PDB file of all heavy atoms in Angstrom:
ATOM      1  N   MET A 176     -41.263  13.710  -5.480  1.00  0.00           N
ATOM      2  CA  MET A 176     -41.292  14.165  -4.090  1.00  0.00           C
ATOM      3  C   MET A 176     -40.486  15.443  -3.875  1.00  0.00           C
ATOM      4  O   MET A 176     -40.785  16.210  -2.948  1.00  0.00           O
ATOM      5  CB  MET A 176     -40.798  13.059  -3.161  1.00  0.00           C
ATOM      6  CG  MET A 176     -41.718  11.846  -3.108  1.00  0.00           C
ATOM      7  SD  MET A 176     -43.399  12.244  -2.537  1.00  0.00           S
ATOM      8  CE  MET A 176     -43.067  12.625  -0.813  1.00  0.00           C
ATOM      9  N   SER A 177     -39.480  15.716  -4.703  1.00  0.00           N
ATOM     10  CA  SER A 177     -38.728  16.961  -4.524  1.00  0.00           C
ATOM     11  C   SER A 177     -39.649  18.161  -4.713  1.00  0.00           C
ATOM     12  O   SER A 177     -39.536  19.168  -3.995  1.00  0.00           O
ATOM     13  CB  SER A 177     -37.543  17.029  -5.495  1.00  0.00           C
ATOM     14  OG  SER A 177     -37.971  17.048  -6.843  1.00  0.00           O
ATOM     15  N   LYS A 178     -40.579  18.061  -5.669  1.00  0.00           N
ATOM     16  CA  LYS A 178     -41.527  19.166  -5.886  1.00  0.00           C
ATOM     17  C   LYS A 178     -42.571  19.219  -4.780  1.00  0.00           C
ATOM     18  O   LYS A 178     -43.007  20.293  -4.376  1.00  0.00           O
ATOM     19  CB  LYS A 178     -42.180  19.020  -7.261  1.00  0.00           C
ATOM     20  CG  LYS A 178     -41.194  19.199  -8.415  1.00  0.00           C
ATOM     21  CD  LYS A 178     -41.848  19.193  -9.764  1.00  0.00           C
ATOM     22  CE  LYS A 178     -42.267  17.817 -10.195  1.00  0.00           C
ATOM     23  NZ  LYS A 178     -41.127  16.947 -10.562  1.00  0.00           N
ATOM     24  N   LYS A 179     -42.977  18.057  -4.278  1.00  0.00           N
ATOM     25  CA  LYS A 179     -43.970  18.039  -3.186  1.00  0.00           C
ATOM     26  C   LYS A 179     -43.387  18.650  -1.915  1.00  0.00           C
ATOM     27  O   LYS A 179     -44.092  19.336  -1.167  1.00  0.00           O
ATOM     28  CB  LYS A 179     -44.423  16.600  -2.903  1.00  0.00           C
ATOM     29  CG  LYS A 179     -45.319  15.993  -3.971  1.00  0.00           C
ATOM     30  CD  LYS A 179     -46.670  16.681  -4.065  1.00  0.00           C
ATOM     31  CE  LYS A 179     -46.774  17.615  -5.239  1.00  0.00           C
ATOM     32  NZ  LYS A 179     -48.065  18.313  -5.315  1.00  0.00           N
ATOM     33  N   LEU A 180     -42.114  18.405  -1.654  1.00  0.00           N
ATOM     34  CA  LEU A 180     -41.497  18.938  -0.438  1.00  0.00           C
ATOM     35  C   LEU A 180     -41.334  20.451  -0.504  1.00  0.00           C
ATOM     36  O   LEU A 180     -41.158  21.100   0.530  1.00  0.00           O
ATOM     37  CB  LEU A 180     -40.138  18.269  -0.193  1.00  0.00           C
ATOM     38  CG  LEU A 180     -40.168  16.760   0.061  1.00  0.00           C
ATOM     39  CD1 LEU A 180     -38.762  16.255   0.362  1.00  0.00           C
ATOM     40  CD2 LEU A 180     -41.125  16.382   1.184  1.00  0.00           C
ATOM     41  N   CYS A 181     -41.392  21.014  -1.717  1.00  0.00           N
ATOM     42  CA  CYS A 181     -41.312  22.473  -1.881  1.00  0.00           C
ATOM     43  C   CYS A 181     -42.676  23.150  -1.723  1.00  0.00           C
ATOM     44  O   CYS A 181     -42.751  24.376  -1.679  1.00  0.00           O
ATOM     45  CB  CYS A 181     -40.783  22.834  -3.270  1.00  0.00           C
ATOM     46  SG  CYS A 181     -39.118  22.311  -3.607  1.00  0.00           S
ATOM     47  N   SER A 182     -43.740  22.372  -1.669  1.00  0.00           N
ATOM     48  CA  SER A 182     -45.084  22.935  -1.776  1.00  0.00           C
ATOM     49  C   SER A 182     -45.613  23.514  -0.476  1.00  0.00           C
ATOM     50  O   SER A 182     -46.680  24.134  -0.468  1.00  0.00           O
ATOM     51  CB  SER A 182     -46.055  21.870  -2.290  1.00  0.00           C
ATOM     52  OG  SER A 182     -46.254  20.859  -1.309  1.00  0.00           O
ATOM     53  N   GLY A 183     -44.921  23.286   0.636  1.00  0.00           N
ATOM     54  CA  GLY A 183     -45.320  23.889   1.904  1.00  0.00           C
ATOM     55  C   GLY A 183     -46.395  23.155   2.665  1.00  0.00           C
ATOM     56  O   GLY A 183     -46.875  23.633   3.692  1.00  0.00           O
ATOM     57  N   CYS A 184     -46.794  21.968   2.205  1.00  0.00           N
ATOM     58  CA  CYS A 184     -47.871  21.240   2.875  1.00  0.00           C
ATOM     59  C   CYS A 184     -47.337  20.491   4.099  1.00  0.00           C
ATOM     60  O   CYS A 184     -46.138  20.273   4.251  1.00  0.00           O
ATOM     61  CB  CYS A 184     -48.516  20.255   1.902  1.00  0.00           C
ATOM     62  SG  CYS A 184     -47.350  19.029   1.269  1.00  0.00           S
ATOM     63  N   ASP A 185     -48.271  20.097   4.975  1.00  0.00           N
ATOM     64  CA  ASP A 185     -47.915  19.314   6.164  1.00  0.00           C
ATOM     65  C   ASP A 185     -48.091  17.822   5.936  1.00  0.00           C
ATOM     66  O   ASP A 185     -47.406  17.007   6.554  1.00  0.00           O
ATOM     67  CB  ASP A 185     -48.791  19.739   7.351  1.00  0.00           C
ATOM     68  CG  ASP A 185     -48.674  21.217   7.655  1.00  0.00           C
ATOM     69  OD1 ASP A 185     -47.527  21.687   7.847  1.00  0.00           O
ATOM     70  OD2 ASP A 185     -49.705  21.914   7.686  1.00  0.00           O
ATOM     71  N   CYS A 186     -49.046  17.453   5.065  1.00  0.00           N
ATOM     72  CA  CYS A 186     -49.384  16.058   4.814  1.00  0.00           C
ATOM     73  C   CYS A 186     -49.481  15.842   3.311  1.00  0.00           C
ATOM     74  O   CYS A 186     -49.898  16.730   2.567  1.00  0.00           O
ATOM     75  CB  CYS A 186     -50.724  15.681   5.445  1.00  0.00           C
ATOM     76  SG  CYS A 186     -51.029  16.362   7.085  1.00  0.00           S
ATOM     77  N   ILE A 187     -49.135  14.638   2.865  1.00  0.00           N
ATOM     78  CA  ILE A 187     -49.147  14.326   1.430  1.00  0.00           C
ATOM     79  C   ILE A 187     -49.894  13.020   1.203  1.00  0.00           C
ATOM     80  O   ILE A 187     -49.540  11.981   1.783  1.00  0.00           O
ATOM     81  CB  ILE A 187     -47.726  14.190   0.872  1.00  0.00           C
ATOM     82  CG1 ILE A 187     -46.901  15.457   1.130  1.00  0.00           C
ATOM     83  CG2 ILE A 187     -47.756  13.876  -0.622  1.00  0.00           C
ATOM     84  CD1 ILE A 187     -45.413  15.303   0.823  1.00  0.00           C
ATOM     85  N   LEU A 188     -50.920  13.060   0.357  1.00  0.00           N
ATOM     86  CA  LEU A 188     -51.586  11.853  -0.104  1.00  0.00           C
ATOM     87  C   LEU A 188     -51.169  11.615  -1.547  1.00  0.00           C
ATOM     88  O   LEU A 188     -51.353  12.485  -2.406  1.00  0.00           O
ATOM     89  CB  LEU A 188     -53.110  11.981  -0.013  1.00  0.00           C
ATOM     90  CG  LEU A 188     -53.876  10.753  -0.521  1.00  0.00           C
ATOM     91  CD1 LEU A 188     -53.636   9.542   0.382  1.00  0.00           C
ATOM     92  CD2 LEU A 188     -55.372  11.037  -0.625  1.00  0.00           C
ATOM     93  N   LEU A 189     -50.623  10.444  -1.813  1.00  0.00           N
ATOM     94  CA  LEU A 189     -50.155  10.091  -3.147  1.00  0.00           C
ATOM     95  C   LEU A 189     -51.153   9.135  -3.799  1.00  0.00           C
ATOM     96  O   LEU A 189     -51.546   8.135  -3.204  1.00  0.00           O
ATOM     97  CB  LEU A 189     -48.784   9.420  -3.070  1.00  0.00           C
ATOM     98  CG  LEU A 189     -47.669  10.281  -2.457  1.00  0.00           C
ATOM     99  CD1 LEU A 189     -46.486   9.407  -2.067  1.00  0.00           C
ATOM    100  CD2 LEU A 189     -47.242  11.368  -3.432  1.00  0.00           C
ATOM    101  N   ASP A 190     -51.568   9.468  -5.013  1.00  0.00           N
ATOM    102  CA  ASP A 190     -52.446   8.612  -5.806  1.00  0.00           C
ATOM    103  C   ASP A 190     -51.573   7.992  -6.893  1.00  0.00           C
ATOM    104  O   ASP A 190     -51.302   8.619  -7.920  1.00  0.00           O
ATOM    105  CB  ASP A 190     -53.581   9.450  -6.399  1.00  0.00           C
ATOM    106  CG  ASP A 190     -54.547   8.635  -7.241  1.00  0.00           C
ATOM    107  OD1 ASP A 190     -54.353   7.410  -7.341  1.00  0.00           O
ATOM    108  OD2 ASP A 190     -55.491   9.220  -7.801  1.00  0.00           O
ATOM    109  N   VAL A 191     -51.112   6.763  -6.647  1.00  0.00           N
ATOM    110  CA  VAL A 191     -50.178   6.098  -7.549  1.00  0.00           C
ATOM    111  C   VAL A 191     -50.979   5.231  -8.524  1.00  0.00           C
ATOM    112  O   VAL A 191     -51.599   4.247  -8.130  1.00  0.00           O
ATOM    113  CB  VAL A 191     -49.158   5.246  -6.770  1.00  0.00           C
ATOM    114  CG1 VAL A 191     -48.188   4.560  -7.727  1.00  0.00           C
ATOM    115  CG2 VAL A 191     -48.392   6.116  -5.775  1.00  0.00           C
ATOM    116  N   LYS A 192     -50.975   5.638  -9.788  1.00  0.00           N
ATOM    117  CA  LYS A 192     -51.773   4.971 -10.803  1.00  0.00           C
ATOM    118  C   LYS A 192     -51.088   3.690 -11.291  1.00  0.00           C
ATOM    119  O   LYS A 192     -49.865   3.626 -11.396  1.00  0.00           O
ATOM    120  CB  LYS A 192     -52.000   5.903 -11.995  1.00  0.00           C
ATOM    121  CG  LYS A 192     -52.730   7.207 -11.645  1.00  0.00           C
ATOM    122  CD  LYS A 192     -54.137   6.941 -11.177  1.00  0.00           C
ATOM    123  CE  LYS A 192     -54.912   8.225 -10.945  1.00  0.00           C
ATOM    124  NZ  LYS A 192     -56.214   7.951 -10.317  1.00  0.00           N
ATOM    125  N   VAL A 193     -51.919   2.690 -11.622  1.00  0.00           N
ATOM    126  CA  VAL A 193     -51.424   1.383 -12.063  1.00  0.00           C
ATOM    127  C   VAL A 193     -52.185   0.966 -13.318  1.00  0.00           C
ATOM    128  O   VAL A 193     -53.422   0.960 -13.315  1.00  0.00           O
ATOM    129  CB  VAL A 193     -51.635   0.303 -10.978  1.00  0.00           C
ATOM    130  CG1 VAL A 193     -50.942  -0.994 -11.392  1.00  0.00           C
ATOM    131  CG2 VAL A 193     -51.177   0.773  -9.619  1.00  0.00           C
ATOM    132  N   GLY A 194     -51.464   0.623 -14.377  1.00  0.00           N
ATOM    133  CA  GLY A 194     -52.153   0.119 -15.561  1.00  0.00           C
ATOM    134  C   GLY A 194     -51.636   0.727 -16.844  1.00  0.00           C
ATOM    135  O   GLY A 194     -50.634   1.453 -16.865  1.00  0.00           O
ATOM    136  N   SER A 195     -52.329   0.475 -17.947  1.00  0.00           N
ATOM    137  CA  SER A 195     -51.841   0.862 -19.265  1.00  0.00           C
ATOM    138  C   SER A 195     -51.689   2.366 -19.429  1.00  0.00           C
ATOM    139  O   SER A 195     -50.810   2.834 -20.140  1.00  0.00           O
ATOM    140  CB  SER A 195     -52.780   0.326 -20.353  1.00  0.00           C
ATOM    141  OG  SER A 195     -54.004   1.036 -20.366  1.00  0.00           O
ATOM    142  N   GLY A 196     -52.549   3.155 -18.760  1.00  0.00           N
ATOM    143  CA  GLY A 196     -52.486   4.603 -18.884  1.00  0.00           C
ATOM    144  C   GLY A 196     -51.570   5.262 -17.881  1.00  0.00           C
ATOM    145  O   GLY A 196     -51.465   6.485 -17.833  1.00  0.00           O
ATOM    146  N   ALA A 197     -50.894   4.458 -17.051  1.00  0.00           N
ATOM    147  CA  ALA A 197     -50.029   4.980 -15.995  1.00  0.00           C
ATOM    148  C   ALA A 197     -48.572   4.713 -16.318  1.00  0.00           C
ATOM    149  O   ALA A 197     -48.244   3.894 -17.179  1.00  0.00           O
ATOM    150  CB  ALA A 197     -50.389   4.322 -14.661  1.00  0.00           C
ATOM    151  N   PHE A 198     -47.688   5.387 -15.606  1.00  0.00           N
ATOM    152  CA  PHE A 198     -46.268   5.135 -15.784  1.00  0.00           C
ATOM    153  C   PHE A 198     -45.904   3.755 -15.243  1.00  0.00           C
ATOM    154  O   PHE A 198     -45.074   3.045 -15.801  1.00  0.00           O
ATOM    155  CB  PHE A 198     -45.447   6.217 -15.089  1.00  0.00           C
ATOM    156  CG  PHE A 198     -44.026   6.257 -15.555  1.00  0.00           C
ATOM    157  CD1 PHE A 198     -43.686   6.852 -16.762  1.00  0.00           C
ATOM    158  CD2 PHE A 198     -43.018   5.674 -14.812  1.00  0.00           C
ATOM    159  CE1 PHE A 198     -42.374   6.857 -17.204  1.00  0.00           C
ATOM    160  CE2 PHE A 198     -41.704   5.685 -15.248  1.00  0.00           C
ATOM    161  CZ  PHE A 198     -41.383   6.277 -16.450  1.00  0.00           C
ATOM    162  N   MET A 199     -46.528   3.366 -14.128  1.00  0.00           N
ATOM    163  CA  MET A 199     -46.316   2.048 -13.545  1.00  0.00           C
ATOM    164  C   MET A 199     -47.359   1.091 -14.129  1.00  0.00           C
ATOM    165  O   MET A 199     -48.554   1.240 -13.862  1.00  0.00           O
ATOM    166  CB  MET A 199     -46.450   2.099 -12.015  1.00  0.00           C
ATOM    167  CG  MET A 199     -45.436   2.984 -11.324  1.00  0.00           C
ATOM    168  SD  MET A 199     -43.765   2.296 -11.366  1.00  0.00           S
ATOM    169  CE  MET A 199     -42.991   3.369 -12.578  1.00  0.00           C
ATOM    170  N   LYS A 200     -46.918   0.129 -14.911  1.00  0.00           N
ATOM    171  CA  LYS A 200     -47.842  -0.762 -15.618  1.00  0.00           C
ATOM    172  C   LYS A 200     -48.338  -1.913 -14.760  1.00  0.00           C
ATOM    173  O   LYS A 200     -49.412  -2.465 -15.015  1.00  0.00           O
ATOM    174  CB  LYS A 200     -47.173  -1.331 -16.879  1.00  0.00           C
ATOM    175  CG  LYS A 200     -46.593  -0.287 -17.814  1.00  0.00           C
ATOM    176  CD  LYS A 200     -47.644   0.693 -18.308  1.00  0.00           C
ATOM    177  CE  LYS A 200     -47.032   1.698 -19.285  1.00  0.00           C
ATOM    178  NZ  LYS A 200     -47.986   2.760 -19.657  1.00  0.00           N
ATOM    179  N   THR A 201     -47.554  -2.313 -13.759  1.00  0.00           N
ATOM    180  CA  THR A 201     -47.920  -3.470 -12.945  1.00  0.00           C
ATOM    181  C   THR A 201     -48.025  -3.076 -11.474  1.00  0.00           C
ATOM    182  O   THR A 201     -47.410  -2.093 -11.023  1.00  0.00           O
ATOM    183  CB  THR A 201     -46.890  -4.601 -13.077  1.00  0.00           C
ATOM    184  OG1 THR A 201     -45.648  -4.183 -12.461  1.00  0.00           O
ATOM    185  CG2 THR A 201     -46.641  -4.938 -14.538  1.00  0.00           C
ATOM    186  N   LEU A 202     -48.788  -3.855 -10.730  1.00  0.00           N
ATOM    187  CA  LEU A 202     -48.969  -3.580  -9.307  1.00  0.00           C
ATOM    188  C   LEU A 202     -47.660  -3.659  -8.518  1.00  0.00           C
ATOM    189  O   LEU A 202     -47.398  -2.788  -7.686  1.00  0.00           O
ATOM    190  CB  LEU A 202     -50.027  -4.527  -8.722  1.00  0.00           C
ATOM    191  CG  LEU A 202     -50.519  -4.214  -7.310  1.00  0.00           C
ATOM    192  CD1 LEU A 202     -51.077  -2.799  -7.218  1.00  0.00           C
ATOM    193  CD2 LEU A 202     -51.579  -5.237  -6.890  1.00  0.00           C
ATOM    194  N   PRO A 203     -46.800  -4.664  -8.738  1.00  0.00           N
ATOM    195  CA  PRO A 203     -45.521  -4.688  -7.997  1.00  0.00           C
ATOM    196  C   PRO A 203     -44.674  -3.436  -8.240  1.00  0.00           C
ATOM    197  O   PRO A 203     -44.051  -2.908  -7.305  1.00  0.00           O
ATOM    198  CB  PRO A 203     -44.826  -5.949  -8.521  1.00  0.00           C
ATOM    199  CG  PRO A 203     -45.941  -6.842  -8.935  1.00  0.00           C
ATOM    200  CD  PRO A 203     -46.981  -5.927  -9.504  1.00  0.00           C
ATOM    201  N   GLU A 204     -44.632  -2.953  -9.488  1.00  0.00           N
ATOM    202  CA  GLU A 204     -43.881  -1.727  -9.788  1.00  0.00           C
ATOM    203  C   GLU A 204     -44.463  -0.547  -9.014  1.00  0.00           C
ATOM    204  O   GLU A 204     -43.728   0.267  -8.431  1.00  0.00           O
ATOM    205  CB  GLU A 204     -43.955  -1.408 -11.284  1.00  0.00           C
ATOM    206  CG  GLU A 204     -43.137  -2.288 -12.191  1.00  0.00           C
ATOM    207  CD  GLU A 204     -43.327  -1.907 -13.650  1.00  0.00           C
ATOM    208  OE1 GLU A 204     -44.456  -1.616 -14.082  1.00  0.00           O
ATOM    209  OE2 GLU A 204     -42.320  -1.906 -14.371  1.00  0.00           O
ATOM    210  N   ALA A 205     -45.787  -0.442  -9.032  1.00  0.00           N
ATOM    211  CA  ALA A 205     -46.454   0.673  -8.355  1.00  0.00           C
ATOM    212  C   ALA A 205     -46.248   0.605  -6.848  1.00  0.00           C
ATOM    213  O   ALA A 205     -46.056   1.640  -6.190  1.00  0.00           O
ATOM    214  CB  ALA A 205     -47.938   0.672  -8.693  1.00  0.00           C
ATOM    215  N   GLN A 206     -46.291  -0.603  -6.292  1.00  0.00           N
ATOM    216  CA  GLN A 206     -46.059  -0.761  -4.852  1.00  0.00           C
ATOM    217  C   GLN A 206     -44.648  -0.313  -4.477  1.00  0.00           C
ATOM    218  O   GLN A 206     -44.448   0.354  -3.455  1.00  0.00           O
ATOM    219  CB  GLN A 206     -46.274  -2.220  -4.454  1.00  0.00           C
ATOM    220  CG  GLN A 206     -47.732  -2.641  -4.453  1.00  0.00           C
ATOM    221  CD  GLN A 206     -47.907  -4.137  -4.285  1.00  0.00           C
ATOM    222  OE1 GLN A 206     -47.057  -4.930  -4.716  1.00  0.00           O
ATOM    223  NE2 GLN A 206     -49.005  -4.542  -3.662  1.00  0.00           N
ATOM    224  N   LYS A 207     -43.684  -0.672  -5.305  1.00  0.00           N
ATOM    225  CA  LYS A 207     -42.302  -0.277  -5.020  1.00  0.00           C
ATOM    226  C   LYS A 207     -42.143   1.235  -5.071  1.00  0.00           C
ATOM    227  O   LYS A 207     -41.509   1.836  -4.191  1.00  0.00           O
ATOM    228  CB  LYS A 207     -41.364  -0.951  -6.035  1.00  0.00           C
ATOM    229  CG  LYS A 207     -39.894  -0.736  -5.736  1.00  0.00           C
ATOM    230  CD  LYS A 207     -39.022  -1.534  -6.704  1.00  0.00           C
ATOM    231  CE  LYS A 207     -37.540  -1.320  -6.397  1.00  0.00           C
ATOM    232  NZ  LYS A 207     -36.670  -2.064  -7.347  1.00  0.00           N
ATOM    233  N   LEU A 208     -42.741   1.874  -6.091  1.00  0.00           N
ATOM    234  CA  LEU A 208     -42.669   3.336  -6.179  1.00  0.00           C
ATOM    235  C   LEU A 208     -43.373   3.985  -4.999  1.00  0.00           C
ATOM    236  O   LEU A 208     -42.851   4.939  -4.393  1.00  0.00           O
ATOM    237  CB  LEU A 208     -43.303   3.804  -7.489  1.00  0.00           C
ATOM    238  CG  LEU A 208     -43.403   5.325  -7.677  1.00  0.00           C
ATOM    239  CD1 LEU A 208     -42.019   5.968  -7.672  1.00  0.00           C
ATOM    240  CD2 LEU A 208     -44.148   5.666  -8.969  1.00  0.00           C
ATOM    241  N   ALA A 209     -44.553   3.477  -4.641  1.00  0.00           N
ATOM    242  CA  ALA A 209     -45.312   4.054  -3.529  1.00  0.00           C
ATOM    243  C   ALA A 209     -44.535   3.947  -2.218  1.00  0.00           C
ATOM    244  O   ALA A 209     -44.466   4.911  -1.441  1.00  0.00           O
ATOM    245  CB  ALA A 209     -46.661   3.345  -3.406  1.00  0.00           C
ATOM    246  N   LYS A 210     -43.950   2.790  -1.966  1.00  0.00           N
ATOM    247  CA  LYS A 210     -43.176   2.609  -0.730  1.00  0.00           C
ATOM    248  C   LYS A 210     -41.990   3.572  -0.680  1.00  0.00           C
ATOM    249  O   LYS A 210     -41.677   4.136   0.376  1.00  0.00           O
ATOM    250  CB  LYS A 210     -42.695   1.162  -0.622  1.00  0.00           C
ATOM    251  CG  LYS A 210     -43.797   0.164  -0.300  1.00  0.00           C
ATOM    252  CD  LYS A 210     -43.269  -1.265  -0.303  1.00  0.00           C
ATOM    253  CE  LYS A 210     -44.397  -2.259  -0.019  1.00  0.00           C
ATOM    254  NZ  LYS A 210     -43.928  -3.667  -0.094  1.00  0.00           N
ATOM    255  N   THR A 211     -41.340   3.761  -1.820  1.00  0.00           N
ATOM    256  CA  THR A 211     -40.197   4.667  -1.864  1.00  0.00           C
ATOM    257  C   THR A 211     -40.632   6.102  -1.583  1.00  0.00           C
ATOM    258  O   THR A 211     -39.994   6.819  -0.801  1.00  0.00           O
ATOM    259  CB  THR A 211     -39.507   4.585  -3.243  1.00  0.00           C
ATOM    260  OG1 THR A 211     -39.101   3.238  -3.499  1.00  0.00           O
ATOM    261  CG2 THR A 211     -38.282   5.486  -3.293  1.00  0.00           C
ATOM    262  N   MET A 212     -41.732   6.550  -2.199  1.00  0.00           N
ATOM    263  CA  MET A 212     -42.192   7.929  -2.004  1.00  0.00           C
ATOM    264  C   MET A 212     -42.705   8.149  -0.578  1.00  0.00           C
ATOM    265  O   MET A 212     -42.471   9.206   0.015  1.00  0.00           O
ATOM    266  CB  MET A 212     -43.266   8.273  -3.030  1.00  0.00           C
ATOM    267  CG  MET A 212     -42.732   8.368  -4.441  1.00  0.00           C
ATOM    268  SD  MET A 212     -43.858   9.168  -5.617  1.00  0.00           S
ATOM    269  CE  MET A 212     -45.197   7.994  -5.647  1.00  0.00           C
ATOM    270  N   VAL A 213     -43.411   7.177  -0.025  1.00  0.00           N
ATOM    271  CA  VAL A 213     -43.881   7.305   1.358  1.00  0.00           C
ATOM    272  C   VAL A 213     -42.700   7.391   2.311  1.00  0.00           C
ATOM    273  O   VAL A 213     -42.688   8.189   3.262  1.00  0.00           O
ATOM    274  CB  VAL A 213     -44.813   6.124   1.721  1.00  0.00           C
ATOM    275  CG1 VAL A 213     -45.086   6.082   3.224  1.00  0.00           C
ATOM    276  CG2 VAL A 213     -46.135   6.245   0.958  1.00  0.00           C
ATOM    277  N   SER A 214     -41.672   6.594   2.063  1.00  0.00           N
ATOM    278  CA  SER A 214     -40.464   6.634   2.889  1.00  0.00           C
ATOM    279  C   SER A 214     -39.797   8.007   2.820  1.00  0.00           C
ATOM    280  O   SER A 214     -39.365   8.560   3.849  1.00  0.00           O
ATOM    281  CB  SER A 214     -39.486   5.551   2.424  1.00  0.00           C
ATOM    282  OG  SER A 214     -38.251   5.646   3.107  1.00  0.00           O
ATOM    283  N   ILE A 215     -39.740   8.591   1.621  1.00  0.00           N
ATOM    284  CA  ILE A 215     -39.156   9.929   1.474  1.00  0.00           C
ATOM    285  C   ILE A 215     -39.967  10.949   2.256  1.00  0.00           C
ATOM    286  O   ILE A 215     -39.406  11.792   2.973  1.00  0.00           O
ATOM    287  CB  ILE A 215     -39.109  10.331  -0.023  1.00  0.00           C
ATOM    288  CG1 ILE A 215     -38.096   9.466  -0.782  1.00  0.00           C
ATOM    289  CG2 ILE A 215     -38.752  11.811  -0.183  1.00  0.00           C
ATOM    290  CD1 ILE A 215     -38.174   9.622  -2.291  1.00  0.00           C
ATOM    291  N   GLY A 216     -41.288  10.898   2.116  1.00  0.00           N
ATOM    292  CA  GLY A 216     -42.147  11.846   2.825  1.00  0.00           C
ATOM    293  C   GLY A 216     -41.951  11.777   4.326  1.00  0.00           C
ATOM    294  O   GLY A 216     -41.826  12.807   5.003  1.00  0.00           O
ATOM    295  N   LYS A 217     -41.918  10.583   4.857  1.00  0.00           N
ATOM    296  CA  LYS A 217     -41.745  10.420   6.303  1.00  0.00           C
ATOM    297  C   LYS A 217     -40.359  10.879   6.737  1.00  0.00           C
ATOM    298  O   LYS A 217     -40.205  11.487   7.804  1.00  0.00           O
ATOM    299  CB  LYS A 217     -41.982   8.957   6.685  1.00  0.00           C
ATOM    300  CG  LYS A 217     -43.449   8.536   6.553  1.00  0.00           C
ATOM    301  CD  LYS A 217     -43.662   7.090   6.949  1.00  0.00           C
ATOM    302  CE  LYS A 217     -45.147   6.728   6.893  1.00  0.00           C
ATOM    303  NZ  LYS A 217     -45.389   5.305   7.241  1.00  0.00           N
ATOM    304  N   HIS A 218     -39.357  10.593   5.913  1.00  0.00           N
ATOM    305  CA  HIS A 218     -37.999  11.033   6.218  1.00  0.00           C
ATOM    306  C   HIS A 218     -37.923  12.556   6.310  1.00  0.00           C
ATOM    307  O   HIS A 218     -37.147  13.107   7.101  1.00  0.00           O
ATOM    308  CB  HIS A 218     -37.043  10.533   5.132  1.00  0.00           C
ATOM    309  CG  HIS A 218     -35.594  10.666   5.478  1.00  0.00           C
ATOM    310  ND1 HIS A 218     -34.881   9.675   6.117  1.00  0.00           N
ATOM    311  CD2 HIS A 218     -34.714  11.683   5.272  1.00  0.00           C
ATOM    312  CE1 HIS A 218     -33.631  10.076   6.298  1.00  0.00           C
ATOM    313  NE2 HIS A 218     -33.499  11.284   5.790  1.00  0.00           N
ATOM    314  N   ALA A 219     -38.762  13.225   5.521  1.00  0.00           N
ATOM    315  CA  ALA A 219     -38.786  14.693   5.512  1.00  0.00           C
ATOM    316  C   ALA A 219     -39.739  15.263   6.562  1.00  0.00           C
ATOM    317  O   ALA A 219     -39.941  16.483   6.608  1.00  0.00           O
ATOM    318  CB  ALA A 219     -39.194  15.186   4.125  1.00  0.00           C
ATOM    319  N   GLY A 220     -40.337  14.403   7.375  1.00  0.00           N
ATOM    320  CA  GLY A 220     -41.216  14.868   8.440  1.00  0.00           C
ATOM    321  C   GLY A 220     -42.637  15.159   8.003  1.00  0.00           C
ATOM    322  O   GLY A 220     -43.375  15.858   8.715  1.00  0.00           O
TER     323      GLY A 220
END
């Protein structure tokens, strides 16, 4: 999100990958990461 906040955009859509080819292997892990990033985005307006 630090790089996304530098990009000058007004809105951010995050595609959080889940599974063997992703950094987050399980759905609970991915949900936790997604919630954290969405919270950061909203905190930054």
Side-chain angles (χ1 to χ4, degrees):
M176 293 300 291
S177 63
K178 294 186 285 288
K179 288 294 103 182
L180 297 183
C181 296
S182 69
C184 60
D185 303 306
C186 319
I187 303 170
L188 178 67
L189 299 164
D190 180 2
V191 180
K192 300 295 185 188
V193 188
S195 72
F198 197 78
M199 298 289 107
K200 306 301 182 187
T201 68
L202 191 56
E204 287 178 319
Q206 287 170 329
K207 187 175 180 181
L208 175 61
K210 288 176 182 177
T211 302
M212 291 195 294
V213 169
S214 174
I215 292 169
K217 290 181 176 178
H218 192 90

